[in-house]
PDB file of all heavy atoms in Angstrom:
ATOM      1  N   SER A 168      11.001  20.229 -24.304  1.00  0.00           N
ATOM      2  CA  SER A 168      11.743  19.028 -24.123  1.00  0.00           C
ATOM      3  C   SER A 168      12.579  18.582 -25.286  1.00  0.00           C
ATOM      4  O   SER A 168      13.575  17.875 -25.112  1.00  0.00           O
ATOM      5  CB  SER A 168      10.835  17.969 -23.644  1.00  0.00           C
ATOM      6  OG  SER A 168      10.214  18.186 -22.357  1.00  0.00           O
ATOM      7  N   LEU A 169      12.194  19.023 -26.546  1.00  0.00           N
ATOM      8  CA  LEU A 169      12.944  18.575 -27.705  1.00  0.00           C
ATOM      9  C   LEU A 169      14.357  19.310 -27.704  1.00  0.00           C
ATOM     10  O   LEU A 169      15.281  18.819 -28.451  1.00  0.00           O
ATOM     11  CB  LEU A 169      12.149  18.835 -28.936  1.00  0.00           C
ATOM     12  CG  LEU A 169      10.972  17.995 -29.126  1.00  0.00           C
ATOM     13  CD1 LEU A 169      10.175  18.379 -30.438  1.00  0.00           C
ATOM     14  CD2 LEU A 169      11.355  16.473 -29.183  1.00  0.00           C
ATOM     15  N   PHE A 170      14.458  20.497 -26.984  1.00  0.00           N
ATOM     16  CA  PHE A 170      15.752  21.162 -27.085  1.00  0.00           C
ATOM     17  C   PHE A 170      16.647  20.391 -25.997  1.00  0.00           C
ATOM     18  O   PHE A 170      17.833  20.284 -26.339  1.00  0.00           O
ATOM     19  CB  PHE A 170      15.530  22.637 -26.525  1.00  0.00           C
ATOM     20  CG  PHE A 170      14.894  23.443 -27.636  1.00  0.00           C
ATOM     21  CD1 PHE A 170      13.501  23.697 -27.507  1.00  0.00           C
ATOM     22  CD2 PHE A 170      15.655  23.988 -28.556  1.00  0.00           C
ATOM     23  CE1 PHE A 170      12.965  24.475 -28.519  1.00  0.00           C
ATOM     24  CE2 PHE A 170      15.078  24.707 -29.552  1.00  0.00           C
ATOM     25  CZ  PHE A 170      13.651  25.075 -29.585  1.00  0.00           C
ATOM     26  N   PHE A 171      16.186  19.873 -24.939  1.00  0.00           N
ATOM     27  CA  PHE A 171      17.038  19.107 -24.095  1.00  0.00           C
ATOM     28  C   PHE A 171      16.056  18.362 -23.094  1.00  0.00           C
ATOM     29  O   PHE A 171      15.166  18.901 -22.568  1.00  0.00           O
ATOM     30  CB  PHE A 171      17.993  19.983 -23.251  1.00  0.00           C
ATOM     31  CG  PHE A 171      19.025  19.153 -22.561  1.00  0.00           C
ATOM     32  CD1 PHE A 171      20.120  18.647 -23.200  1.00  0.00           C
ATOM     33  CD2 PHE A 171      18.857  18.893 -21.183  1.00  0.00           C
ATOM     34  CE1 PHE A 171      21.093  17.977 -22.543  1.00  0.00           C
ATOM     35  CE2 PHE A 171      19.845  18.192 -20.479  1.00  0.00           C
ATOM     36  CZ  PHE A 171      20.948  17.738 -21.187  1.00  0.00           C
ATOM     37  N   PRO A 172      16.358  17.106 -22.860  1.00  0.00           N
ATOM     38  CA  PRO A 172      15.498  16.285 -21.885  1.00  0.00           C
ATOM     39  C   PRO A 172      15.496  16.968 -20.575  1.00  0.00           C
ATOM     40  O   PRO A 172      16.528  17.306 -19.980  1.00  0.00           O
ATOM     41  CB  PRO A 172      16.169  14.981 -21.876  1.00  0.00           C
ATOM     42  CG  PRO A 172      16.862  14.817 -23.145  1.00  0.00           C
ATOM     43  CD  PRO A 172      17.384  16.211 -23.470  1.00  0.00           C
ATOM     44  N   GLY A 173      14.280  17.080 -19.998  1.00  0.00           N
ATOM     45  CA  GLY A 173      14.076  17.734 -18.616  1.00  0.00           C
ATOM     46  C   GLY A 173      13.797  19.081 -18.718  1.00  0.00           C
ATOM     47  O   GLY A 173      13.234  19.662 -17.715  1.00  0.00           O
ATOM     48  N   ALA A 174      13.962  19.790 -19.806  1.00  0.00           N
ATOM     49  CA  ALA A 174      13.595  21.209 -19.919  1.00  0.00           C
ATOM     50  C   ALA A 174      12.047  21.398 -19.871  1.00  0.00           C
ATOM     51  O   ALA A 174      11.535  22.271 -19.167  1.00  0.00           O
ATOM     52  CB  ALA A 174      14.122  21.828 -21.233  1.00  0.00           C
ATOM     53  N   GLY A 175      11.385  20.446 -20.488  1.00  0.00           N
ATOM     54  CA  GLY A 175       9.889  20.556 -20.436  1.00  0.00           C
ATOM     55  C   GLY A 175       9.295  20.318 -19.036  1.00  0.00           C
ATOM     56  O   GLY A 175       8.342  21.009 -18.564  1.00  0.00           O
ATOM     57  N   HIS A 176       9.900  19.355 -18.251  1.00  0.00           N
ATOM     58  CA  HIS A 176       9.453  19.207 -16.819  1.00  0.00           C
ATOM     59  C   HIS A 176       9.837  20.424 -16.012  1.00  0.00           C
ATOM     60  O   HIS A 176       9.157  20.827 -15.085  1.00  0.00           O
ATOM     61  CB  HIS A 176      10.160  17.995 -16.315  1.00  0.00           C
ATOM     62  CG  HIS A 176       9.632  16.709 -16.969  1.00  0.00           C
ATOM     63  ND1 HIS A 176      10.040  16.227 -18.202  1.00  0.00           N
ATOM     64  CD2 HIS A 176       8.655  15.805 -16.475  1.00  0.00           C
ATOM     65  CE1 HIS A 176       9.341  15.110 -18.463  1.00  0.00           C
ATOM     66  NE2 HIS A 176       8.550  14.888 -17.419  1.00  0.00           N
ATOM     67  N   ALA A 177      10.989  21.128 -16.369  1.00  0.00           N
ATOM     68  CA  ALA A 177      11.341  22.298 -15.597  1.00  0.00           C
ATOM     69  C   ALA A 177      10.262  23.423 -15.939  1.00  0.00           C
ATOM     70  O   ALA A 177       9.980  24.202 -15.066  1.00  0.00           O
ATOM     71  CB  ALA A 177      12.774  22.753 -16.009  1.00  0.00           C
ATOM     72  N   TYR A 178       9.906  23.414 -17.183  1.00  0.00           N
ATOM     73  CA  TYR A 178       8.870  24.408 -17.551  1.00  0.00           C
ATOM     74  C   TYR A 178       7.618  24.190 -16.752  1.00  0.00           C
ATOM     75  O   TYR A 178       6.886  25.128 -16.417  1.00  0.00           O
ATOM     76  CB  TYR A 178       8.568  24.283 -19.097  1.00  0.00           C
ATOM     77  CG  TYR A 178       7.305  24.958 -19.514  1.00  0.00           C
ATOM     78  CD1 TYR A 178       7.172  26.329 -19.614  1.00  0.00           C
ATOM     79  CD2 TYR A 178       6.140  24.158 -19.916  1.00  0.00           C
ATOM     80  CE1 TYR A 178       5.977  26.920 -20.125  1.00  0.00           C
ATOM     81  CE2 TYR A 178       5.005  24.692 -20.311  1.00  0.00           C
ATOM     82  CZ  TYR A 178       4.898  26.053 -20.415  1.00  0.00           C
ATOM     83  OH  TYR A 178       3.709  26.698 -20.947  1.00  0.00           O
ATOM     84  N   LEU A 179       7.263  22.895 -16.414  1.00  0.00           N
ATOM     85  CA  LEU A 179       5.992  22.636 -15.688  1.00  0.00           C
ATOM     86  C   LEU A 179       6.331  22.603 -14.197  1.00  0.00           C
ATOM     87  O   LEU A 179       5.532  22.296 -13.391  1.00  0.00           O
ATOM     88  CB  LEU A 179       5.539  21.252 -16.048  1.00  0.00           C
ATOM     89  CG  LEU A 179       5.215  21.017 -17.529  1.00  0.00           C
ATOM     90  CD1 LEU A 179       4.794  19.519 -17.740  1.00  0.00           C
ATOM     91  CD2 LEU A 179       3.957  21.868 -17.876  1.00  0.00           C
ATOM     92  N   LYS A 180       7.540  23.035 -13.780  1.00  0.00           N
ATOM     93  CA  LYS A 180       7.945  23.127 -12.424  1.00  0.00           C
ATOM     94  C   LYS A 180       7.986  21.790 -11.673  1.00  0.00           C
ATOM     95  O   LYS A 180       7.740  21.710 -10.495  1.00  0.00           O
ATOM     96  CB  LYS A 180       7.059  24.145 -11.694  1.00  0.00           C
ATOM     97  CG  LYS A 180       7.173  25.548 -12.196  1.00  0.00           C
ATOM     98  CD  LYS A 180       6.276  26.464 -11.412  1.00  0.00           C
ATOM     99  CE  LYS A 180       6.401  27.890 -11.930  1.00  0.00           C
ATOM    100  NZ  LYS A 180       5.538  28.930 -11.202  1.00  0.00           N
ATOM    101  N   LEU A 181       8.275  20.758 -12.446  1.00  0.00           N
ATOM    102  CA  LEU A 181       8.517  19.399 -11.849  1.00  0.00           C
ATOM    103  C   LEU A 181      10.013  19.230 -11.687  1.00  0.00           C
ATOM    104  O   LEU A 181      10.560  18.482 -12.480  1.00  0.00           O
ATOM    105  CB  LEU A 181       7.845  18.371 -12.784  1.00  0.00           C
ATOM    106  CG  LEU A 181       6.385  18.451 -13.015  1.00  0.00           C
ATOM    107  CD1 LEU A 181       5.830  17.475 -13.982  1.00  0.00           C
ATOM    108  CD2 LEU A 181       5.563  18.351 -11.705  1.00  0.00           C
ATOM    109  N   TRP A 182      10.556  19.926 -10.731  1.00  0.00           N
ATOM    110  CA  TRP A 182      12.033  20.010 -10.652  1.00  0.00           C
ATOM    111  C   TRP A 182      12.696  18.673 -10.397  1.00  0.00           C
ATOM    112  O   TRP A 182      13.676  18.357 -11.008  1.00  0.00           O
ATOM    113  CB  TRP A 182      12.404  20.967  -9.592  1.00  0.00           C
ATOM    114  CG  TRP A 182      11.785  22.359  -9.767  1.00  0.00           C
ATOM    115  CD1 TRP A 182      10.736  22.941  -9.021  1.00  0.00           C
ATOM    116  CD2 TRP A 182      12.109  23.315 -10.835  1.00  0.00           C
ATOM    117  NE1 TRP A 182      10.482  24.260  -9.562  1.00  0.00           N
ATOM    118  CE2 TRP A 182      11.265  24.434 -10.632  1.00  0.00           C
ATOM    119  CE3 TRP A 182      12.996  23.283 -11.852  1.00  0.00           C
ATOM    120  CZ2 TRP A 182      11.332  25.476 -11.484  1.00  0.00           C
ATOM    121  CZ3 TRP A 182      13.006  24.399 -12.654  1.00  0.00           C
ATOM    122  CH2 TRP A 182      12.274  25.456 -12.524  1.00  0.00           C
ATOM    123  N   PRO A 183      12.178  17.802  -9.540  1.00  0.00           N
ATOM    124  CA  PRO A 183      12.924  16.476  -9.367  1.00  0.00           C
ATOM    125  C   PRO A 183      12.955  15.673 -10.667  1.00  0.00           C
ATOM    126  O   PRO A 183      14.016  15.064 -10.962  1.00  0.00           O
ATOM    127  CB  PRO A 183      12.022  15.765  -8.220  1.00  0.00           C
ATOM    128  CG  PRO A 183      11.371  16.834  -7.527  1.00  0.00           C
ATOM    129  CD  PRO A 183      11.081  17.946  -8.524  1.00  0.00           C
ATOM    130  N   GLN A 184      11.880  15.600 -11.470  1.00  0.00           N
ATOM    131  CA  GLN A 184      11.850  14.860 -12.646  1.00  0.00           C
ATOM    132  C   GLN A 184      12.841  15.560 -13.711  1.00  0.00           C
ATOM    133  O   GLN A 184      13.510  14.903 -14.433  1.00  0.00           O
ATOM    134  CB  GLN A 184      10.494  14.714 -13.257  1.00  0.00           C
ATOM    135  CG  GLN A 184       9.593  13.904 -12.433  1.00  0.00           C
ATOM    136  CD  GLN A 184       8.329  13.450 -13.291  1.00  0.00           C
ATOM    137  OE1 GLN A 184       8.481  12.947 -14.407  1.00  0.00           O
ATOM    138  NE2 GLN A 184       7.158  13.609 -12.699  1.00  0.00           N
ATOM    139  N   ALA A 185      12.848  16.898 -13.667  1.00  0.00           N
ATOM    140  CA  ALA A 185      13.611  17.619 -14.690  1.00  0.00           C
ATOM    141  C   ALA A 185      15.106  17.369 -14.370  1.00  0.00           C
ATOM    142  O   ALA A 185      15.839  17.084 -15.378  1.00  0.00           O
ATOM    143  CB  ALA A 185      13.331  19.130 -14.503  1.00  0.00           C
ATOM    144  N   ALA A 186      15.487  17.371 -13.112  1.00  0.00           N
ATOM    145  CA  ALA A 186      16.905  17.132 -12.820  1.00  0.00           C
ATOM    146  C   ALA A 186      17.326  15.721 -13.094  1.00  0.00           C
ATOM    147  O   ALA A 186      18.443  15.451 -13.561  1.00  0.00           O
ATOM    148  CB  ALA A 186      17.094  17.422 -11.311  1.00  0.00           C
ATOM    149  N   ALA A 187      16.374  14.744 -12.814  1.00  0.00           N
ATOM    150  CA  ALA A 187      16.813  13.374 -13.043  1.00  0.00           C
ATOM    151  C   ALA A 187      16.942  13.025 -14.512  1.00  0.00           C
ATOM    152  O   ALA A 187      17.978  12.362 -14.906  1.00  0.00           O
ATOM    153  CB  ALA A 187      15.701  12.434 -12.393  1.00  0.00           C
ATOM    154  N   ARG A 188      16.075  13.507 -15.339  1.00  0.00           N
ATOM    155  CA  ARG A 188      16.077  13.345 -16.771  1.00  0.00           C
ATOM    156  C   ARG A 188      17.302  14.018 -17.384  1.00  0.00           C
ATOM    157  O   ARG A 188      18.084  13.528 -18.316  1.00  0.00           O
ATOM    158  CB  ARG A 188      14.839  13.777 -17.468  1.00  0.00           C
ATOM    159  CG  ARG A 188      13.649  12.927 -17.113  1.00  0.00           C
ATOM    160  CD  ARG A 188      12.396  13.533 -17.593  1.00  0.00           C
ATOM    161  NE  ARG A 188      11.209  12.811 -17.113  1.00  0.00           N
ATOM    162  CZ  ARG A 188      10.687  11.701 -17.702  1.00  0.00           C
ATOM    163  NH1 ARG A 188      11.186  11.276 -18.834  1.00  0.00           N
ATOM    164  NH2 ARG A 188       9.651  11.088 -17.191  1.00  0.00           N
ATOM    165  N   ALA A 189      17.601  15.214 -16.984  1.00  0.00           N
ATOM    166  CA  ALA A 189      18.779  15.961 -17.490  1.00  0.00           C
ATOM    167  C   ALA A 189      20.142  15.206 -17.083  1.00  0.00           C
ATOM    168  O   ALA A 189      21.017  15.130 -17.999  1.00  0.00           O
ATOM    169  CB  ALA A 189      18.765  17.439 -16.901  1.00  0.00           C
ATOM    170  N   ILE A 190      20.244  14.779 -15.875  1.00  0.00           N
ATOM    171  CA  ILE A 190      21.477  14.094 -15.471  1.00  0.00           C
ATOM    172  C   ILE A 190      21.605  12.800 -16.210  1.00  0.00           C
ATOM    173  O   ILE A 190      22.726  12.462 -16.690  1.00  0.00           O
ATOM    174  CB  ILE A 190      21.422  13.831 -13.945  1.00  0.00           C
ATOM    175  CG1 ILE A 190      21.534  15.129 -13.217  1.00  0.00           C
ATOM    176  CG2 ILE A 190      22.560  12.899 -13.543  1.00  0.00           C
ATOM    177  CD1 ILE A 190      21.318  15.058 -11.709  1.00  0.00           C
ATOM    178  N   LEU A 191      20.548  12.115 -16.426  1.00  0.00           N
ATOM    179  CA  LEU A 191      20.663  10.844 -17.130  1.00  0.00           C
ATOM    180  C   LEU A 191      20.988  11.036 -18.591  1.00  0.00           C
ATOM    181  O   LEU A 191      21.919  10.319 -19.148  1.00  0.00           O
ATOM    182  CB  LEU A 191      19.269  10.054 -17.132  1.00  0.00           C
ATOM    183  CG  LEU A 191      19.184   8.774 -17.850  1.00  0.00           C
ATOM    184  CD1 LEU A 191      20.207   7.726 -17.380  1.00  0.00           C
ATOM    185  CD2 LEU A 191      17.829   8.172 -17.814  1.00  0.00           C
ATOM    186  N   SER A 192      20.465  12.069 -19.233  1.00  0.00           N
ATOM    187  CA  SER A 192      20.790  12.366 -20.615  1.00  0.00           C
ATOM    188  C   SER A 192      22.246  12.837 -20.797  1.00  0.00           C
ATOM    189  O   SER A 192      22.939  12.419 -21.744  1.00  0.00           O
ATOM    190  CB  SER A 192      19.872  13.385 -21.187  1.00  0.00           C
ATOM    191  OG  SER A 192      18.493  12.893 -21.210  1.00  0.00           O
ATOM    192  N   LEU A 193      22.690  13.662 -19.822  1.00  0.00           N
ATOM    193  CA  LEU A 193      24.103  14.082 -19.929  1.00  0.00           C
ATOM    194  C   LEU A 193      24.997  12.987 -19.720  1.00  0.00           C
ATOM    195  O   LEU A 193      26.122  12.924 -20.406  1.00  0.00           O
ATOM    196  CB  LEU A 193      24.301  15.188 -18.791  1.00  0.00           C
ATOM    197  CG  LEU A 193      23.759  16.592 -18.977  1.00  0.00           C
ATOM    198  CD1 LEU A 193      23.840  17.424 -17.838  1.00  0.00           C
ATOM    199  CD2 LEU A 193      24.255  17.200 -20.283  1.00  0.00           C
ATOM    200  N   TRP A 194      24.663  11.979 -18.895  1.00  0.00           N
ATOM    201  CA  TRP A 194      25.608  10.878 -18.677  1.00  0.00           C
ATOM    202  C   TRP A 194      25.672   9.988 -19.914  1.00  0.00           C
ATOM    203  O   TRP A 194      26.790   9.543 -20.384  1.00  0.00           O
ATOM    204  CB  TRP A 194      25.074  10.007 -17.486  1.00  0.00           C
ATOM    205  CG  TRP A 194      25.793   8.765 -17.363  1.00  0.00           C
ATOM    206  CD1 TRP A 194      27.008   8.556 -16.896  1.00  0.00           C
ATOM    207  CD2 TRP A 194      25.275   7.443 -17.595  1.00  0.00           C
ATOM    208  NE1 TRP A 194      27.384   7.243 -16.845  1.00  0.00           N
ATOM    209  CE2 TRP A 194      26.384   6.542 -17.299  1.00  0.00           C
ATOM    210  CE3 TRP A 194      24.176   6.943 -18.114  1.00  0.00           C
ATOM    211  CZ2 TRP A 194      26.204   5.159 -17.431  1.00  0.00           C
ATOM    212  CZ3 TRP A 194      24.012   5.601 -18.220  1.00  0.00           C
ATOM    213  CH2 TRP A 194      25.044   4.701 -17.963  1.00  0.00           C
ATOM    214  N   VAL A 195      24.543   9.713 -20.573  1.00  0.00           N
ATOM    215  CA  VAL A 195      24.558   8.955 -21.830  1.00  0.00           C
ATOM    216  C   VAL A 195      25.300   9.702 -22.932  1.00  0.00           C
ATOM    217  O   VAL A 195      26.083   9.044 -23.613  1.00  0.00           O
ATOM    218  CB  VAL A 195      23.077   8.680 -22.246  1.00  0.00           C
ATOM    219  CG1 VAL A 195      23.021   7.954 -23.548  1.00  0.00           C
ATOM    220  CG2 VAL A 195      22.358   7.827 -21.232  1.00  0.00           C
ATOM    221  N   ILE A 196      25.172  10.973 -23.052  1.00  0.00           N
ATOM    222  CA  ILE A 196      25.903  11.729 -24.078  1.00  0.00           C
ATOM    223  C   ILE A 196      27.355  11.662 -23.804  1.00  0.00           C
ATOM    224  O   ILE A 196      28.225  11.619 -24.742  1.00  0.00           O
ATOM    225  CB  ILE A 196      25.363  13.135 -24.126  1.00  0.00           C
ATOM    226  CG1 ILE A 196      23.956  13.188 -24.635  1.00  0.00           C
ATOM    227  CG2 ILE A 196      26.246  14.037 -25.026  1.00  0.00           C
ATOM    228  CD1 ILE A 196      23.297  14.499 -24.631  1.00  0.00           C
ATOM    229  N   ALA A 197      27.724  11.774 -22.456  1.00  0.00           N
ATOM    230  CA  ALA A 197      29.160  11.725 -22.122  1.00  0.00           C
ATOM    231  C   ALA A 197      29.794  10.390 -22.540  1.00  0.00           C
ATOM    232  O   ALA A 197      30.898  10.326 -22.982  1.00  0.00           O
ATOM    233  CB  ALA A 197      29.376  12.045 -20.672  1.00  0.00           C
ATOM    234  N   VAL A 198      29.029   9.294 -22.307  1.00  0.00           N
ATOM    235  CA  VAL A 198      29.502   8.016 -22.655  1.00  0.00           C
ATOM    236  C   VAL A 198      29.747   7.941 -24.203  1.00  0.00           C
ATOM    237  O   VAL A 198      30.749   7.365 -24.701  1.00  0.00           O
ATOM    238  CB  VAL A 198      28.452   6.860 -22.297  1.00  0.00           C
ATOM    239  CG1 VAL A 198      28.881   5.567 -22.819  1.00  0.00           C
ATOM    240  CG2 VAL A 198      28.434   6.827 -20.824  1.00  0.00           C
ATOM    241  N   VAL A 199      28.864   8.485 -25.022  1.00  0.00           N
ATOM    242  CA  VAL A 199      29.042   8.510 -26.479  1.00  0.00           C
ATOM    243  C   VAL A 199      30.206   9.232 -26.852  1.00  0.00           C
ATOM    244  O   VAL A 199      31.029   8.813 -27.746  1.00  0.00           O
ATOM    245  CB  VAL A 199      27.717   9.064 -27.113  1.00  0.00           C
ATOM    246  CG1 VAL A 199      27.897   9.259 -28.646  1.00  0.00           C
ATOM    247  CG2 VAL A 199      26.548   8.275 -26.841  1.00  0.00           C
ATOM    248  N   ILE A 200      30.395  10.443 -26.247  1.00  0.00           N
ATOM    249  CA  ILE A 200      31.615  11.241 -26.608  1.00  0.00           C
ATOM    250  C   ILE A 200      32.917  10.528 -26.267  1.00  0.00           C
ATOM    251  O   ILE A 200      33.825  10.486 -27.013  1.00  0.00           O
ATOM    252  CB  ILE A 200      31.463  12.680 -25.892  1.00  0.00           C
ATOM    253  CG1 ILE A 200      30.293  13.324 -26.458  1.00  0.00           C
ATOM    254  CG2 ILE A 200      32.775  13.432 -26.143  1.00  0.00           C
ATOM    255  CD1 ILE A 200      30.055  14.755 -25.622  1.00  0.00           C
ATOM    256  N   LEU A 201      32.908   9.912 -25.016  1.00  0.00           N
ATOM    257  CA  LEU A 201      34.113   9.308 -24.675  1.00  0.00           C
ATOM    258  C   LEU A 201      34.452   8.039 -25.539  1.00  0.00           C
ATOM    259  O   LEU A 201      35.602   7.694 -25.801  1.00  0.00           O
ATOM    260  CB  LEU A 201      34.015   8.782 -23.190  1.00  0.00           C
ATOM    261  CG  LEU A 201      34.009   9.947 -22.093  1.00  0.00           C
ATOM    262  CD1 LEU A 201      33.831   9.383 -20.698  1.00  0.00           C
ATOM    263  CD2 LEU A 201      35.346  10.736 -22.172  1.00  0.00           C
ATOM    264  N   ALA A 202      33.390   7.371 -25.889  1.00  0.00           N
ATOM    265  CA  ALA A 202      33.521   6.185 -26.873  1.00  0.00           C
ATOM    266  C   ALA A 202      34.156   6.683 -28.183  1.00  0.00           C
ATOM    267  O   ALA A 202      34.997   5.956 -28.775  1.00  0.00           O
ATOM    268  CB  ALA A 202      32.265   5.466 -27.049  1.00  0.00           C
TER     269      ALA A 202
END
Side-chain angles (χ1 to χ4, degrees):
S168 291
L169 291 177
F170 287 96
F171 192 80
H176 291 79
Y178 163 75
L179 299 174
K180 297 181 180 180
L181 300 175
W182 304 112
Q184 291 198 51
R188 294 171 187 272
I190 293 173
L191 178 61
S192 298
L193 287 174
W194 174 71
V195 173
I196 294 174
V198 171
V199 175
I200 295 175
L201 292 176

